[in-house]
Amino acid sequence: MALRRLLLRYFPPGIILEYVEGGESKTRSIDLLHLRPDTDVTALVEEIQKREPLITASCLEHIIHLVQRLQEKLGEKQNHKFSLFKVLRTHILPLTNVAFNKSGSRFITGSYDRTCKLWDTASGEELHSLEGHRNVVYAIAFNNPYGDKIATGSFDKTCKVWSTETGKCYHTFRGHSAEIVCLSFNPQSTLLATGSMDTTAKLWDLEKGEEVASLNGHSAEIIALSFNTTGDRIITGSFDHTVAVWDVGTGRLLHTLIGHRGEISSAQFNWDCSLIVTGSMDKTCMLWDAVTGTHIATLAGHSKEVLDVCFDYAGQRIATASADGSARVYNAGTKQCIAKLEGHEDEISKVCFNPKGNCILTASSDKTARLWDAATGHCLQVLEGHADEIFSCAFNYKGDTIITGSKDNSCRIWH
């Protein structure tokens, strides 16, 4: 094995090793999820060297320098004020979803007008209108980090995969017997998963254009699904109050997470694939061991339904959004609530961390989105201007651009 080069990964902090083994080029990543601005970098790198044969004494200095760069990035203060960059009147009929590609240079919008549109973020120009569905285009996604494909899931029971470059349709996947309401590409971009009101999820091979597995086991609609970062597991959340963990390679059901007393609203793995967080209409959020499927903790405190949950990139904090108009931040290790985000005047349907994890974005029915300090819960900024409820919000990978999607049929880009 010979080390070729080292790459930095800012979010979550890590180093990617590119090396040659048996004439083949390979990569391996070293996660530095616990790196802090005050970590002793030399001691950390020496510890890594003991476990990693590719790191020799000759490249030690270089690695210390790289980790120090990651540390500087973590130490940068978040005092960026976002301002409105563009308002885009995207569709004539209501929007269903919005999504960025990794860099934030392009975004897509789904709509009741049966189309998905691709936009250039900087110019606000419409690049493609993806047409062909016969009903509402509800679920949309880029195959990030690549961004060369777009998937659309529709109430017409089909899913389509498109070229970002040309707008051409590669595949139409048929097989569901009811509306498709959620979808996701696996991290390798070789598979697409779709979840449907027909109680099943399906896995589709993007190369061959065919179904490779049907995940049967839920007794009610599937409304959330998510791959883990390695792509060997997928979770599905259902109105039957359970979340199922599946083996992607075999399509086998591994665990059923039983404990919630209401419909599941969202479910997600943390970065290192050790934990799963679930949100439910029963007003709670639950934390589970992803390997064994056992219940670890119930994060209570909301007075109404939990509508969205997410981990930060490092998997150390959990944010929850509720119909009670508040969001909460929990420490994934101690399971304690560390901040309450209070200020919205109506339900919060979406919550996400910025890539660095020090800032939280919420979208609410009160027509505003808000930015919060993740450590203190202090409101940093209110993004105002939409004329109706905001149902979608997202950061790009760098965390310097925000998109908000509203029932007023417009998207706003904030810089």
Side-chain angles (χ1 to χ4, degrees):
M1 286 197 299
L3 185 64
R4 274 176 53 190
R5 61 175 179 159
L6 298 156
L7 301 169
L8 272 185
R9 186 188 65 211
Y10 283 114
F11 311 118
I15 294 171
I16 314 292
L17 310 174
E18 268 191 18
Y19 63 99
V20 179
E21 188 177 32
E24 236 182 292
S25 186
K26 295 183 177 178
T27 60
R28 195 147 72 213
S29 65
I30 298 170
D31 291 342
L32 302 170
L33 303 182
H34 298 283
L35 186 67
R36 296 275 174 275
D38 57 356
T39 303
D40 180 338
V41 174
T42 310
L44 175 69
V45 173
E46 283 169 357
E47 194 54 43
I48 292 167
Q49 189 193 10
K50 287 177 195 164
R51 298 193 307 266
E52 181 48 75
L54 282 167
I55 297 173
T56 55
S58 60
C59 64
L60 220 51
E61 280 305 310
H62 181 47
I63 290 182
I64 288 170
H65 172 67
L66 288 180
V67 177
Q68 282 167 341
R69 271 175 57 194
L70 287 176
Q71 211 174 22
E72 280 163 26
K73 191 82 174 167
L74 286 174
E76 283 171 11
K77 285 278 169 274
Q78 172 80 29
N79 52 8
H80 179 73
K81 277 274 183 250
F82 285 88
S83 55
L84 181 64
F85 171 64
K86 266 199 169 47
V87 180
L88 297 171
R89 308 260 167 238
T90 47
H91 296 262
I92 303 159
L93 291 176
L95 284 171
T96 53
N97 267 305
V98 297
F100 268 129
N101 65 352
K102 182 177 169 177
S103 70
S105 64
R106 295 182 173 185
F107 71 94
I108 46 178
T109 54
S111 169
Y112 276 81
D113 69 9
R114 307 178 176 194
T115 71
C116 171
K117 292 187 176 188
L118 173 69
W119 306 84
D120 180 273
T121 310
S123 66
E125 185 191 348
E126 182 184 316
L127 300 174
H128 295 298
S129 183
L130 310 179
E131 296 173 16
H133 281 295
R134 303 176 113 152
N135 208 328
V136 175
V137 172
Y138 191 76
I140 56 176
F142 279 102
N143 64 331
N144 291 337
Y146 311 101
D148 63 330
K149 292 188 181 75
I150 293 163
T152 54
S154 168
F155 286 2
D156 69 8
K157 309 172 193 173
T158 74
C159 166
K160 290 178 184 281
V161 180
W162 315 76
S163 160
T164 303
E165 217 36 64
T166 65
K168 182 172 129 310
C169 180
Y170 288 126
H171 305 295
T172 300
F173 294 135
R174 295 184 174 87
H176 282 296
S177 58
E179 297 89 338
I180 292 172
V181 291
C182 50
L183 52 74
S184 177
F185 286 95
N186 69 339
Q188 296 80 13
S189 193
T190 53
L191 296 173
L192 180 73
T194 52
S196 167
M197 303 298 269
D198 67 10
T199 78
T200 73
K202 289 180 185 291
L203 300 177
W204 311 85
D205 184 306
L206 291 170
E207 193 59 45
K208 297 181 181 142
E210 59 191 41
E211 181 182 320
V212 286
S214 187
L215 311 180
N216 306 314
H218 284 294
S219 59
E221 298 89 333
I222 291 175
I223 49 84
L225 54 76
S226 181
F227 283 97
N228 66 356
T229 19
T230 50
D232 64 342
R233 300 277 181 273
I234 187 169
I235 45 178
T236 52
S238 168
F239 279 177
D240 67 10
H241 306 187
T242 74
V243 171
V245 184
W246 311 83
D247 181 289
V248 171
T250 62
R252 212 161 58 84
L253 175 63
L254 299 174
H255 308 291
T256 304
L257 311 184
I258 299 170
H260 280 296
R261 296 176 171 203
E263 290 98 335
I264 303 298
S265 57
S266 74
Q268 198 186 29
F269 282 96
N270 68 341
W271 175 268
D272 69 9
C273 314
S274 63
L275 299 172
I276 292 166
V277 67
T278 56
S280 165
M281 296 301 177
D282 67 7
K283 309 177 193 174
T284 73
C285 162
M286 290 188 179
L287 199 56
W288 312 78
D289 183 306
V291 181
T292 63
T294 50
H295 173 269
I296 295 171
T298 299
L299 311 179
H302 285 295
S303 59
K304 286 188 179 172
E305 298 90 338
V306 172
L307 302 176
D308 196 23
V309 293
C310 67
F311 280 105
D312 65 355
Y313 250 148
Q316 290 163 6
R317 287 178 181 162
I318 295 160
T320 59
S322 170
D324 66 15
S326 77
R328 286 170 177 249
V329 188
Y330 296 87
N331 179 310
T334 66
K335 290 78 165 174
Q336 296 303 306
C337 177
I338 50 178
K340 291 178 191 173
L341 317 184
E342 291 170 333
H344 278 297
E345 289 161 22
D346 208 338
E347 68 178 39
I348 303 172
S349 59
K350 193 91 186 85
V351 64
C352 57
F353 284 89
N354 68 340
K356 211 158 112 180
N358 60 349
C359 183
I360 289 170
L361 176 62
T362 52
S364 168
S365 300
D366 70 6
K367 308 175 190 174
T368 72
R370 287 177 182 244
L371 287 152
W372 313 79
D373 183 303
T376 64
H378 173 69
C379 181
L380 302 171
Q381 203 180 341
V382 182
L383 305 181
E384 293 177 293
H386 278 296
D388 206 337
E389 66 182 74
I390 303 174
F391 57 81
S392 191
C393 60
F395 283 101
N396 65 336
Y397 178 72
K398 267 191 179 159
D400 59 6
T401 307
I402 287 171
I403 187 167
T404 52
S406 163
K407 282 198 173 164
D408 67 10
N409 287 9
S410 78
C411 278
R412 286 176 174 243
I413 307 289
W414 312 78
H415 274 332

